[in-house]
Amino acid sequence: MITAARNYLVFLRRCARVAFVGDWRYYSWMGVLTVIILLGLNAYAKQFAHGLIVTGMSDEVSWGVYIANFTFLVGVAAAAVMMVIPVYIYDNEELHDLVIFGELLAVAAIIMCLMFVTVDLGRPDRFWHLIPGLGQMNFPASMLSWDVIVLNGYLLLNVHICGYLLYCRYQNRKPTKWFYIPFVFSAIIWAVSIHTVTAFLYVGLGGRPFWNASIVGPRFLASAFTAGPAIIILALQIIRSTTHYRITDKALLTLRGIVQVSMIINVFLLVCEVFKEFYSGNLHVASAKYLFLGLHGHHALVPWIWSAITFNLIAMVLLVLPVSRGLRYLNVACVLSIVGIWIEKGMGLVIPGFIPTPLGAIVEYTPSLNETLVCFGIWAFGLLCYTIFLRMSVPILQGRLSKANEGISEPGPNDVVAETSVTSHS
Amino acid sequence: MLATGLAAVAASLKPLFEMEDITSAQQFMQKYYKELTPEDMAKVLQRIEGEVEKEYGVRPHVRDLRPMDGVEFVYALNLSRCIGCRKCVHACVAENNQSRSPEIQYIRVLKMPHGTFDLEKGDHNYASEQVPEKGFFYMPVQCQQCHNPPCVKVCPVNATWQETDGITVIDYNWCIGCRYCEAACPYWARRFNFTKPSIPAERLNPNMSYLGNRPRSQGVMEKCHFCVQRTRAGRYPACLEVCPTGSRKFGNILDPNSEISQILRTKRVFMQLKEDIGTNPRFFYYFDV
Amino acid sequence: MVLTGLAVVFIGLAAAFLSDSWGYPAPRVKIPLVDKAILDPTTVRRTYADLISAKEDLSDFDCYACHEKGQPPPLRYDENHKLLIPEEHVNIVMGHGSHGRNNNCFNCHNETNLTTLQPRDGRELKLENSTELCGSCHGPTYRDWDSGAHGRSNGYWNTKLGPAVKKDCVNCHNPHSPRFPGRKPAPGPHTLHGTGEVTHTPESPSTH
């Protein structure tokens, strides 16, 4: 028992040490992220001291980019499951060793989600009021309490799965099936649930007709399953170019298939929604009108949503055409999908729900500088986490960081340089 | 490098020293309203009186007024009579110690063109030389004290709830400021303290109640509570008393002889705002027929 | 190299944080406090009964200080049949009823005893009971007032805890011209950011 604990601590210490070792590119990347994080931290300190008045939010538009980013990132986290399903249900070999990168992305995304919710709170010092037992949790009535449970549960599930598999690999032993397979399957269901619950957060509000539509849930899933794997496609290529971890084009093309189908469904659902809003033309169309066409001379979101739609359509066409079997076009399509969906789902869903207000007033919203810095800080923190996760897991998966070489060699910066030069020639 | 990094972290936290009201340990640890024993509550009320006196130089009288048995409040507003003078808006602010700048108001008066109930056609900002203007009617909107309040349902920490007399209240010491209730309210009746509220000491109303008009802190929600500090002591709400046209009516619907019961019994046309949402408000608009 | 660069960047960042030059909202325009008159819940007028209970000077109501008892004052009209107000009563503006039809002082005042009122049924009413007089013509409104649907009531909704003060017609309405005069509305709302104007969509009533 004591040895087991000691071994585990050694594992953790070695992982931590690896995170601080890298070549100049690694240090520059981490350095840039740290600078952005610090800018964000400073901006949040201002918000903490003076209140949410330093944001662009108001009583009229009471949620802004924080909740928009939160919504987008829940989708990213949920989408990690799109790699798990082919591997564990359809026994896809190509993706098998890559699943863990998707799960780690989910962990990083959930961390960002939790941070975005926290910075949106007026009284973050009272977070403990949410903890069952200590505080009061309005469960099951409040969708937000569901969200707290499912997000934290999903975080724990993924941390367990990743941690367990990596530790087994480190010890070079076969993972015990019943110790992770049940969790993998719960994570699949859980992933759908986190995004459904997040959609229900909006859908459940009868006073906001723009959100009070059953299509929001399906749209959330479709867009998440587009943007999430798109991010993973890009991330895998970065991993491939900075380490010599074996990632085949075939694996990337499997993911392309997912992005392709999801994007088609996503665009279809958008068409359904636009038709319903505008064809019937009842009074509840005001928010949609504000978003797509502008309302009474106010059209802050119009250029955004049309860019998003353009990006999504171009991405869809590229994904359907065979050109996107080539990585160049696939990457373009992925970037366009990610940006398009970020706009459509973040700003395009959250903000127009508040405009006009339930009493018909129109007050527009623009994120303030401080609010934007906080967002960048959180994104940078998420990327820093993901980079560290990858920095630790890649050597473990490659067998360069294992119990066998304890005390003999630490995978250092030179390895990475060497690896890079190898891959760049291949 | 590490040292400079840590220095940068420390420097980035400098704005925290600009904080105006720092949460005290007692405030941080304070229990949920419904879990406070009478002794706890007595201590809390005393602490709040001290806090207010320290900040405003006025010793307030803070009470924890509970709902009365056999009382359910209902409000009715005569749309045929309201002239849109906005006296109710400001009397409410004065009574309930709302922040003056930035401004928090519980009542919004809409100037509506004749012939429509489409709120989008309402003008919130009218500044006419004289009201009422021909061709318009005026519709004040405030918390509708719903039977089925969406704001209560969505609150993740039970910081807001409906009391037996029908008033939906907020425990300002329990609210975490997520603003989900603000998004849920179909009447735009909830307000958030985006920064520390500012109330001039000479305008502070010292007659306070825990769930009512005691000064709020930065980062919490507030809303109309039918002036609990007055109505639970038997008095009319401030918006009603100041109304120059008698358009506002208030009382106990469980008492068949109350004004409010008689109005709802005898008036042919009265309505609830956004009835289709199923909130079932305790706030009725009626007409002189 | 990179690390030294980073160290320099961190020092620069720390200095920037300490100088504290960004991220705050533009200083807000202080919203002026409203005039206390707006907050005043008292009625615009006081009734004869209010004056009695406040023990105020009632000499203005002593009609027979000027008029002669037993001699009803004459009423004079111009060619349009508009009542001519004698200069002793110049503060009275007649505007009761549409089309100026209610233009006879003795529709309400008692011709034979000017200190009292007289509805059309011939009863004699004291000045403090003017509401009954109003009700003799305005039946439905009087019914509404009586049930509480019309008019003002201050004080306590719960009469076990304190008095409800029900206001009379003439607390709010001038009996000689009962229609409410227009008034300037109190200041409108201000938004948290920006110009402070809540955007609205002014609609002219004629569009319907």
Side-chain angles (χ1 to χ4, degrees):
Chain A
M1 191 63 207
I2 294 164
T3 356
R6 197 198 69 91
N7 283 342
Y8 193 66
L9 286 176
V10 170
F11 164 71
L12 288 182
R13 206 188 60 217
R14 291 187 74 199
C15 282
R17 195 174 291 166
V18 167
F20 282 93
V21 185
D23 63 354
W24 66 271
R25 289 185 308 177
Y26 181 72
Y27 283 129
S28 313
W29 168 241
M30 298 302 262
V32 168
L33 291 182
T34 311
V35 169
I36 300 172
I37 291 169
L38 285 176
L39 285 169
L41 184 65
N42 177 251
Y44 182 61
K46 283 173 190 155
Q47 181 188 308
F48 191 85
H50 298 275
L52 284 145
I53 196 163
V54 301
T55 70
M57 291 182 268
S58 59
D59 277 321
E60 287 84 4
V61 182
S62 50
W63 281 343
V65 276
Y66 293 157
I67 297 298
N69 275 303
F70 160 77
T71 309
F72 176 78
L73 285 165
V74 173
V76 172
V81 82
M82 289 319 278
M83 293 180 75
V84 180
I85 291 174
V87 172
Y88 288 96
I89 298 181
Y90 299 111
D91 288 320
N92 182 310
E93 281 300 313
E94 296 293 332
L95 282 175
H96 193 272
D97 289 336
L98 306 178
V99 166
I100 203 146
F101 297 133
E103 281 165 344
L104 290 171
L105 179 68
V107 174
I110 293 284
I111 291 173
M112 284 190 264
C113 286
L114 295 175
M115 289 173 84
F116 272 116
V117 176
T118 310
V119 296
D120 191 62
L121 292 183
R123 297 299 303 232
D125 55 314
R126 297 187 185 158
F127 74 95
W128 65 270
H129 294 179
L130 262 170
I131 302 170
L134 264 182
Q136 285 281 324
M137 185 184 253
N138 186 10
F139 184 83
S142 169
M143 277 301 140
L144 206 51
S145 69
W146 280 76
D147 222 17
V148 169
I149 293 171
V150 292
L151 286 180
N152 285 298
Y154 192 65
L155 180 64
L156 290 179
L157 273 177
N158 278 296
V159 166
H160 167 75
I161 297 168
C162 298
Y164 180 68
L165 290 181
L166 284 174
Y167 190 49
C168 287
R169 186 66 77 94
Y170 172 81
Q171 292 179 310
N172 204 14
R173 67 181 164 90
K174 236 183 145 42
T176 320
K177 277 225 153 97
W178 61 263
F179 215 73
Y180 78 101
I181 293 288
F183 294 100
V184 168
F185 282 96
S186 354
I188 292 174
I189 299 163
W190 210 284
V192 177
S193 84
I194 62 169
H195 214 30
T196 312
V197 167
T198 307
F200 286 179
L201 213 71
Y202 299 99
V203 175
L205 306 182
R208 305 267 175 192
F210 186 68
W211 294 338
N212 188 214
S214 44
I215 203 166
V216 173
R219 270 191 75 188
F220 266 32
L221 287 176
S223 58
F225 291 162
T226 314
I231 290 176
I232 294 172
I233 290 177
L234 298 178
L236 288 179
Q237 289 177 67
I238 294 169
I239 296 168
R240 182 159 78 173
S241 69
T242 50
T243 68
H244 67 182
Y245 195 78
R246 198 185 74 94
I247 295 168
T248 60
D249 282 358
K250 210 175 152 202
L252 297 178
L253 290 179
T254 310
L255 289 173
R256 167 182 172 264
I258 297 172
V259 179
Q260 191 182 46
V261 174
S262 310
M263 184 51 112
I264 293 169
I265 298 175
N266 185 41
V267 171
F268 170 69
L269 292 178
L270 177 73
V271 171
C272 292
E273 176 154 29
V274 169
F275 171 78
K276 178 249 161 191
E277 293 280 1
F278 288 97
Y279 189 82
S280 56
N282 61 21
L283 288 180
H284 292 333
V285 79
S287 289
K289 219 173 186 172
Y290 171 73
L291 175 63
F292 290 102
L293 305 171
L295 195 63
H296 304 300
H298 298 272
H299 27 60
L301 289 180
V302 175
W304 288 91
I305 194 66
W306 286 107
S307 321
I309 290 176
T310 315
F311 290 170
N312 285 351
L313 288 177
I314 296 175
M316 183 178 74
V317 171
L318 283 178
L319 287 163
V320 171
L321 294 177
V323 287
S324 57
R325 282 184 214 278
L327 287 187
R328 211 156 106 223
Y329 284 103
L330 179 60
N331 288 346
V332 172
C334 285
V335 171
L336 288 177
S337 324
I338 295 166
V339 177
I341 286 170
W342 184 86
I343 297 172
E344 175 196 313
K345 198 165 170 182
M347 299 297 273
L349 176 97
V350 178
I351 316 301
F354 291 102
I355 301 170
T357 68
L359 297 189
I362 301 176
V363 174
E364 296 201 277
Y365 161 81
T366 332
S368 69
L369 169 69
N370 207 68
E371 201 176 1
T372 314
L373 285 174
V374 172
C375 292
F376 276 117
I378 295 175
W379 271 98
F381 186 80
L383 285 175
L384 185 101
C385 290
Y386 192 47
T387 312
I388 290 175
F389 296 158
L390 293 177
R391 183 75 193 87
M392 293 168 174
S393 57
V394 170
I396 295 174
L397 293 172
Q398 288 171 326
R400 289 187 293 122
L401 182 68
S402 68
K403 194 162 166 25
N405 62 16
E406 209 171 274
I408 304 167
S409 79
E410 298 288 356
N414 297 332
D415 295 355
V416 181
V417 177
E419 286 153 14
T420 328
S421 53
V422 171
T423 31
S424 57
H425 290 298
S426 59
Chain B
M1 204 281 294
L2 215 55
T4 57
L6 288 176
V9 171
S12 77
L13 296 175
K14 185 202 160 211
L16 294 182
F17 292 99
E18 299 157 10
M19 260 177 92
E20 281 181 60
D21 75 305
I22 289 158
T23 312
S24 70
Q26 289 126 301
Q27 280 170 340
F28 179 73
M29 294 302 291
Q30 187 181 317
K31 279 196 282 186
Y32 180 47
Y33 176 81
K34 293 180 188 174
E35 287 175 350
L36 291 169
T37 62
E39 298 80 56
D40 289 340
M41 184 44 97
K43 274 190 216 143
V44 167
L45 294 178
Q46 227 175 8
R47 193 195 77 218
I48 293 170
E49 286 180 352
E51 285 163 8
V52 173
E53 187 175 18
K54 197 168 148 227
E55 178 149 9
Y56 298 94
V58 181
R59 183 84 189 171
H61 180 44
V62 189
R63 288 179 294 174
D64 172 36
L65 290 162
R66 302 280 168 137
M68 299 178 207
D69 285 334
V71 171
E72 184 183 337
F73 292 124
V74 159
Y75 211 116
L77 198 151
N78 189 341
L79 284 181
S80 314
R81 296 285 162 193
C82 176
I83 57 168
C85 67
R86 291 207 189 96
K87 278 181 76 134
C88 51
V89 175
H90 297 283
C92 166
V93 168
E95 169 68 28
N96 291 307
N97 294 319
Q98 276 121 279
S99 177
R100 307 303 206 275
S101 188
E103 186 178 80
I104 289 187
Q105 296 174 341
Y106 297 161
I107 305 173
R108 182 56 66 89
V109 186
L110 305 191
K111 178 177 127 186
M112 305 281 296
H114 273 174
T116 181
F117 261 108
D118 177 8
L119 298 181
E120 245 191 273
K121 297 207 168 74
D123 180 356
H124 295 235
N125 243 48
Y126 62 89
S128 353
E129 261 319 301
Q130 292 228 315
V131 286
E133 288 168 275
K134 247 197 147 29
F136 295 93
F137 70 98
Y138 298 84
M139 180 157 81
V141 185
Q142 63 205 74
C143 177
Q144 310 277 304
Q145 311 291 0
C146 310
H147 277 92
N148 181 17
C151 53
V152 168
K153 194 158 61 178
V154 301
C155 177
V157 292
N158 289 322
T160 184
W161 64 90
Q162 194 179 171
E163 302 235 283
T164 52
D165 56 4
I167 302 179
T168 293
V169 291
I170 300 173
D171 181 353
Y172 309 121
N173 282 66
W174 197 255
C175 170
I176 59 172
C178 69
R179 306 188 297 298
Y180 196 13
C181 55
E182 197 169 22
C185 176
Y187 306 99
W188 197 62
R190 292 186 158 247
R191 298 291 180 277
F192 182 68
N193 286 281
F194 279 89
T195 191
K196 195 175 155 10
S198 83
I199 311 160
E202 77 272 14
R203 296 249 172 140
L204 193 78
N205 174 9
N207 170 31
M208 296 178 185
S209 81
Y210 184 89
L211 296 172
N213 61 343
R214 69 190 166 106
R216 277 71 68 182
S217 69
Q218 173 179 306
V220 302
M221 296 302 310
E222 57 180 283
K223 66 181 276 291
C224 159
H225 41 74
F226 278 177
C227 292
V228 282
Q229 66 282 356
R230 298 166 67 104
T231 51
R232 285 190 181 162
R235 296 177 61 197
Y236 281 118
C239 50
L240 182 148
E241 285 218 317
V242 83
C243 178
T245 62
S247 305
R248 290 171 165 273
K249 298 289 163 189
F250 175 87
N252 179 11
I253 194 72
L254 300 183
D255 170 7
N257 298 319
S258 67
E259 276 180 7
I260 201 79
S261 297
Q262 299 201 43
I263 289 171
L264 295 192
R265 206 164 43 232
T266 54
K267 285 294 167 188
R268 193 123 54 103
V269 183
F270 56 89
M271 56 158 239
Q272 297 167 314
L273 202 53
K274 303 196 183 192
E275 195 183 356
D276 53 319
I277 297 171
T279 45
N280 194 2
R282 287 191 181 81
F283 197 103
F284 295 90
Y285 293 92
Y286 72 102
F287 306 87
D288 271 340
V289 266
Chain C
M1 231 289 281
V2 176
L3 293 187
T4 338
L6 269 181
V8 175
V9 172
F10 282 149
I11 291 170
L13 210 52
F17 288 148
L18 293 177
S19 75
D20 221 359
S21 49
W22 69 85
Y24 295 101
R28 297 181 38 81
V29 184
K30 192 97 182 141
I31 302 167
L33 291 176
V34 294
D35 188 345
K36 277 199 168 158
I38 292 174
L39 314 174
D40 184 6
T42 53
T43 50
V44 269
R45 313 181 81 253
R46 294 208 291 169
T47 63
Y48 190 70
D50 289 341
L51 296 179
I52 295 173
S53 61
K55 296 202 171 65
E56 292 201 17
D57 174 26
L58 297 170
S59 57
D60 254 11
F61 297 87
D62 183 9
C63 306
Y64 291 108
C66 303
H67 290 282
E68 210 167 307
K69 270 192 180 156
Q71 202 170 38
L75 301 180
R76 289 189 191 86
Y77 296 90
D78 67 6
E79 63 275 19
N80 295 323
H81 211 63
K82 196 171 169 254
L83 182 69
L84 294 170
I85 311 282
E87 64 183 68
E88 292 84 355
H89 286 308
V90 77
N91 57 334
I92 294 175
V93 179
M94 274 306 282
H96 196 139
S98 49
H99 311 299
R101 274 182 307 202
N102 187 1
N103 61 354
N104 186 323
C105 304
F106 305 119
N107 280 351
C108 302
H109 292 281
N110 186 352
E111 209 167 352
T112 51
N113 182 359
L114 294 173
T115 54
T116 62
L117 301 166
Q118 190 171 47
R120 294 300 83 220
D121 61 8
R123 274 181 299 158
E124 198 168 77
L125 291 172
K126 286 182 172 173
L127 277 181
E128 52 266 47
N129 295 333
S130 60
T131 297
E132 233 177 288
L133 171 85
C134 303
S136 71
C137 290
H138 299 279
T141 312
Y142 182 78
R143 179 201 65 205
D144 278 356
W145 173 84
D146 198 40
S147 75
H150 179 107
R152 290 183 66 175
S153 175
N154 284 15
Y156 287 77
W157 63 267
N158 185 337
T159 41
K160 284 181 207 129
L161 295 169
V165 185
K166 195 163 174 142
K167 299 297 179 185
D168 287 319
C169 308
V170 293
N171 268 123
C172 302
H173 300 280
N174 178 342
H176 296 118
S177 35
R179 181 169 282 282
F180 273 27
R183 58 163 79 207
K184 195 167 171 44
H190 299 78
T191 56
L192 187 60
H193 305 291
T195 57
E197 278 262 299
V198 176
T199 314
H200 57 269
T201 49
E203 292 272 333
S204 67
S206 56
T207 56
H208 292 275

